[in-house]
mmCIF file of all heavy atoms in Angstrom:
data_model
loop_
_atom_site.group_PDB
_atom_site.id
_atom_site.type_symbol
_atom_site.label_atom_id
_atom_site.label_comp_id
_atom_site.label_asym_id
_atom_site.label_seq_id
_atom_site.Cartn_x
_atom_site.Cartn_y
_atom_site.Cartn_z
ATOM 1 N N VAL F 1 -10.228 3.998 4.586
ATOM 2 C CA VAL F 1 -8.997 3.281 4.253
ATOM 3 C C VAL F 1 -9.156 2.544 2.925
ATOM 4 O O VAL F 1 -8.275 2.592 2.047
ATOM 5 C CB VAL F 1 -8.626 2.280 5.372
ATOM 6 C CG1 VAL F 1 -7.485 1.366 4.915
ATOM 7 C CG2 VAL F 1 -8.220 3.025 6.630
ATOM 8 N N HIS F 2 -10.297 1.868 2.757
ATOM 9 C CA HIS F 2 -10.543 1.129 1.515
ATOM 10 C C HIS F 2 -10.656 2.079 0.326
ATOM 11 O O HIS F 2 -10.156 1.780 -0.773
ATOM 12 C CB HIS F 2 -11.818 0.293 1.643
ATOM 13 C CG HIS F 2 -11.674 -0.900 2.537
ATOM 14 N ND1 HIS F 2 -10.681 -1.838 2.373
ATOM 15 C CD2 HIS F 2 -12.407 -1.310 3.604
ATOM 16 C CE1 HIS F 2 -10.803 -2.788 3.299
ATOM 17 N NE2 HIS F 2 -11.841 -2.477 4.058
ATOM 18 N N LEU F 3 -11.296 3.217 0.523
ATOM 19 C CA LEU F 3 -11.440 4.184 -0.567
ATOM 20 C C LEU F 3 -10.082 4.748 -0.981
ATOM 21 O O LEU F 3 -9.790 4.875 -2.177
ATOM 22 C CB LEU F 3 -12.371 5.321 -0.149
ATOM 23 C CG LEU F 3 -13.870 5.009 -0.146
ATOM 24 C CD1 LEU F 3 -14.658 6.206 0.368
ATOM 25 C CD2 LEU F 3 -14.350 4.629 -1.541
ATOM 26 N N THR F 4 -9.266 5.070 -0.007
ATOM 27 C CA THR F 4 -7.939 5.620 -0.311
ATOM 28 C C THR F 4 -7.110 4.627 -1.119
ATOM 29 O O THR F 4 -6.473 4.984 -2.122
ATOM 30 C CB THR F 4 -7.190 5.970 0.987
ATOM 31 O OG1 THR F 4 -7.936 6.964 1.700
ATOM 32 C CG2 THR F 4 -5.800 6.509 0.688
ATOM 33 N N ALA F 5 -7.150 3.361 -0.705
ATOM 34 C CA ALA F 5 -6.399 2.327 -1.414
ATOM 35 C C ALA F 5 -6.952 2.104 -2.823
ATOM 36 O O ALA F 5 -6.200 1.939 -3.786
ATOM 37 C CB ALA F 5 -6.444 1.023 -0.622
ATOM 38 N N ALA F 6 -8.285 2.135 -2.945
ATOM 39 C CA ALA F 6 -8.910 1.935 -4.255
ATOM 40 C C ALA F 6 -8.604 3.100 -5.187
ATOM 41 O O ALA F 6 -8.338 2.904 -6.384
ATOM 42 C CB ALA F 6 -10.418 1.770 -4.084
ATOM 43 N N PHE F 7 -8.638 4.324 -4.648
ATOM 44 C CA PHE F 7 -8.303 5.497 -5.465
ATOM 45 C C PHE F 7 -6.887 5.355 -6.017
ATOM 46 O O PHE F 7 -6.620 5.676 -7.175
ATOM 47 C CB PHE F 7 -8.394 6.775 -4.627
ATOM 48 C CG PHE F 7 -9.797 7.233 -4.344
ATOM 49 C CD1 PHE F 7 -10.892 6.446 -4.650
ATOM 50 C CD2 PHE F 7 -10.031 8.463 -3.744
ATOM 51 C CE1 PHE F 7 -12.186 6.869 -4.385
ATOM 52 C CE2 PHE F 7 -11.312 8.902 -3.474
ATOM 53 C CZ PHE F 7 -12.398 8.098 -3.786
ATOM 54 N N ARG F 8 -5.968 4.871 -5.168
ATOM 55 C CA ARG F 8 -4.576 4.729 -5.582
ATOM 56 C C ARG F 8 -4.464 3.689 -6.704
ATOM 57 O O ARG F 8 -3.743 3.894 -7.691
ATOM 58 C CB ARG F 8 -3.715 4.324 -4.386
ATOM 59 C CG ARG F 8 -2.220 4.286 -4.685
ATOM 60 C CD ARG F 8 -1.415 3.876 -3.466
ATOM 61 N NE ARG F 8 -1.643 4.781 -2.334
ATOM 62 C CZ ARG F 8 -2.230 4.435 -1.209
ATOM 63 N NH1 ARG F 8 -2.656 3.200 -1.052
ATOM 64 N NH2 ARG F 8 -2.394 5.299 -0.236
ATOM 65 N N GLN F 9 -5.188 2.575 -6.555
ATOM 66 C CA GLN F 9 -5.135 1.527 -7.574
ATOM 67 C C GLN F 9 -5.705 2.005 -8.904
ATOM 68 O O GLN F 9 -5.204 1.664 -9.978
ATOM 69 C CB GLN F 9 -5.918 0.298 -7.105
ATOM 70 C CG GLN F 9 -5.260 -0.478 -5.975
ATOM 71 C CD GLN F 9 -4.092 -1.336 -6.454
ATOM 72 O OE1 GLN F 9 -3.631 -1.211 -7.580
ATOM 73 N NE2 GLN F 9 -3.597 -2.186 -5.577
ATOM 74 N N LEU F 10 -6.773 2.812 -8.832
ATOM 75 C CA LEU F 10 -7.430 3.295 -10.049
ATOM 76 C C LEU F 10 -6.771 4.541 -10.616
ATOM 77 O O LEU F 10 -7.096 4.962 -11.729
ATOM 78 C CB LEU F 10 -8.914 3.577 -9.761
ATOM 79 C CG LEU F 10 -9.777 2.358 -9.412
ATOM 80 C CD1 LEU F 10 -11.171 2.799 -8.978
ATOM 81 C CD2 LEU F 10 -9.884 1.398 -10.601
ATOM 82 N N GLY F 11 -5.879 5.162 -9.841
ATOM 83 C CA GLY F 11 -5.202 6.367 -10.304
ATOM 84 C C GLY F 11 -6.110 7.567 -10.364
ATOM 85 O O GLY F 11 -6.004 8.400 -11.271
ATOM 86 N N VAL F 12 -7.027 7.686 -9.383
ATOM 87 C CA VAL F 12 -7.979 8.798 -9.355
ATOM 88 C C VAL F 12 -7.858 9.516 -8.010
ATOM 89 O O VAL F 12 -7.217 9.030 -7.079
ATOM 90 C CB VAL F 12 -9.418 8.313 -9.571
ATOM 91 C CG1 VAL F 12 -9.562 7.653 -10.938
ATOM 92 C CG2 VAL F 12 -9.828 7.330 -8.467
ATOM 93 N N HIS F 13 -8.529 10.678 -7.918
ATOM 94 C CA HIS F 13 -8.404 11.493 -6.709
ATOM 95 C C HIS F 13 -9.761 11.958 -6.166
ATOM 96 O O HIS F 13 -9.797 12.789 -5.268
ATOM 97 C CB HIS F 13 -7.522 12.713 -6.978
ATOM 98 C CG HIS F 13 -6.154 12.362 -7.481
ATOM 99 N ND1 HIS F 13 -5.158 11.888 -6.660
ATOM 100 C CD2 HIS F 13 -5.639 12.388 -8.738
ATOM 101 C CE1 HIS F 13 -4.065 11.652 -7.374
ATOM 102 N NE2 HIS F 13 -4.330 11.945 -8.635
ATOM 103 N N SER F 14 -10.862 11.453 -6.706
ATOM 104 C CA SER F 14 -12.175 11.878 -6.227
ATOM 105 C C SER F 14 -13.164 10.728 -6.331
ATOM 106 O O SER F 14 -12.938 9.756 -7.057
ATOM 107 C CB SER F 14 -12.699 13.067 -7.035
ATOM 108 O OG SER F 14 -13.040 12.667 -8.349
ATOM 109 N N ARG F 15 -14.264 10.873 -5.598
ATOM 110 C CA ARG F 15 -15.305 9.849 -5.612
ATOM 111 C C ARG F 15 -15.930 9.704 -6.997
ATOM 112 O O ARG F 15 -16.166 8.598 -7.474
ATOM 113 C CB ARG F 15 -16.383 10.194 -4.578
ATOM 114 C CG ARG F 15 -15.855 10.241 -3.153
ATOM 115 C CD ARG F 15 -16.870 10.854 -2.199
ATOM 116 N NE ARG F 15 -17.977 9.966 -1.931
ATOM 117 C CZ ARG F 15 -18.000 9.075 -0.945
ATOM 118 N NH1 ARG F 15 -16.942 8.944 -0.149
ATOM 119 N NH2 ARG F 15 -19.047 8.309 -0.746
ATOM 120 N N MET F 16 -16.201 10.833 -7.642
ATOM 121 C CA MET F 16 -16.796 10.781 -8.975
ATOM 122 C C MET F 16 -15.870 10.104 -9.974
ATOM 123 O O MET F 16 -16.300 9.294 -10.797
ATOM 124 C CB MET F 16 -17.143 12.197 -9.450
ATOM 125 C CG MET F 16 -18.305 12.843 -8.717
ATOM 126 S SD MET F 16 -19.879 11.994 -9.052
ATOM 127 C CE MET F 16 -20.110 12.447 -10.768
ATOM 128 N N ALA F 17 -14.577 10.415 -9.889
ATOM 129 C CA ALA F 17 -13.615 9.821 -10.812
ATOM 130 C C ALA F 17 -13.489 8.320 -10.564
ATOM 131 O O ALA F 17 -13.361 7.528 -11.507
ATOM 132 C CB ALA F 17 -12.259 10.499 -10.660
ATOM 133 N N ALA F 18 -13.540 7.920 -9.296
ATOM 134 C CA ALA F 18 -13.456 6.499 -8.967
ATOM 135 C C ALA F 18 -14.667 5.746 -9.494
ATOM 136 O O ALA F 18 -14.542 4.649 -10.052
ATOM 137 C CB ALA F 18 -13.348 6.319 -7.454
ATOM 138 N N ALA F 19 -15.856 6.336 -9.333
ATOM 139 C CA ALA F 19 -17.070 5.703 -9.834
ATOM 140 C C ALA F 19 -17.012 5.562 -11.348
ATOM 141 O O ALA F 19 -17.358 4.515 -11.901
ATOM 142 C CB ALA F 19 -18.292 6.526 -9.431
ATOM 143 N N ALA F 20 -16.549 6.611 -12.030
ATOM 144 C CA ALA F 20 -16.450 6.570 -13.488
ATOM 145 C C ALA F 20 -15.434 5.530 -13.944
ATOM 146 O O ALA F 20 -15.668 4.792 -14.907
ATOM 147 C CB ALA F 20 -16.069 7.950 -14.020
ATOM 148 N N ALA F 21 -14.306 5.433 -13.237
ATOM 149 C CA ALA F 21 -13.265 4.477 -13.598
ATOM 150 C C ALA F 21 -13.755 3.050 -13.420
ATOM 151 O O ALA F 21 -13.499 2.174 -14.256
ATOM 152 C CB ALA F 21 -12.022 4.714 -12.742
ATOM 153 N N LEU F 22 -14.484 2.799 -12.325
ATOM 154 C CA LEU F 22 -15.005 1.458 -12.078
ATOM 155 C C LEU F 22 -16.008 1.065 -13.146
ATOM 156 O O LEU F 22 -15.986 -0.043 -13.669
ATOM 157 C CB LEU F 22 -15.647 1.395 -10.694
ATOM 158 C CG LEU F 22 -16.104 0.002 -10.242
ATOM 159 C CD1 LEU F 22 -14.918 -0.920 -10.060
ATOM 160 C CD2 LEU F 22 -16.906 0.097 -8.957
ATOM 161 N N GLN F 23 -16.908 1.982 -13.497
ATOM 162 C CA GLN F 23 -17.910 1.699 -14.521
ATOM 163 C C GLN F 23 -17.249 1.458 -15.871
ATOM 164 O O GLN F 23 -17.646 0.567 -16.623
ATOM 165 C CB GLN F 23 -18.904 2.853 -14.606
ATOM 166 C CG GLN F 23 -19.793 2.966 -13.377
ATOM 167 C CD GLN F 23 -20.693 4.182 -13.407
ATOM 168 O OE1 GLN F 23 -20.584 5.008 -14.306
ATOM 169 N NE2 GLN F 23 -21.561 4.307 -12.432
ATOM 170 N N GLN F 24 -16.238 2.245 -16.197
ATOM 171 C CA GLN F 24 -15.565 2.104 -17.480
ATOM 172 C C GLN F 24 -14.846 0.765 -17.570
ATOM 173 O O GLN F 24 -14.899 0.078 -18.589
ATOM 174 C CB GLN F 24 -14.559 3.231 -17.675
ATOM 175 C CG GLN F 24 -13.831 3.173 -19.026
ATOM 176 C CD GLN F 24 -12.879 4.333 -19.197
ATOM 177 O OE1 GLN F 24 -12.530 5.019 -18.235
ATOM 178 N NE2 GLN F 24 -12.461 4.573 -20.417
#
């Protein structure tokens, strides 16, 4: 649930993209 919500906030659709967005 937390991952789905975080993906939506970051505008990403995968774990790798979310990690990259957070680091950036």
Side-chain angles (χ1 to χ4, degrees):
V1 170
H2 288 307
L3 283 177
T4 299
F7 285 9
R8 186 180 302 114
Q9 289 284 11
L10 294 173
V12 298
H13 303 283
S14 70
R15 298 169 73 89
M16 290 293 291
L22 186 66
Q23 291 175 354
Q24 182 178 16

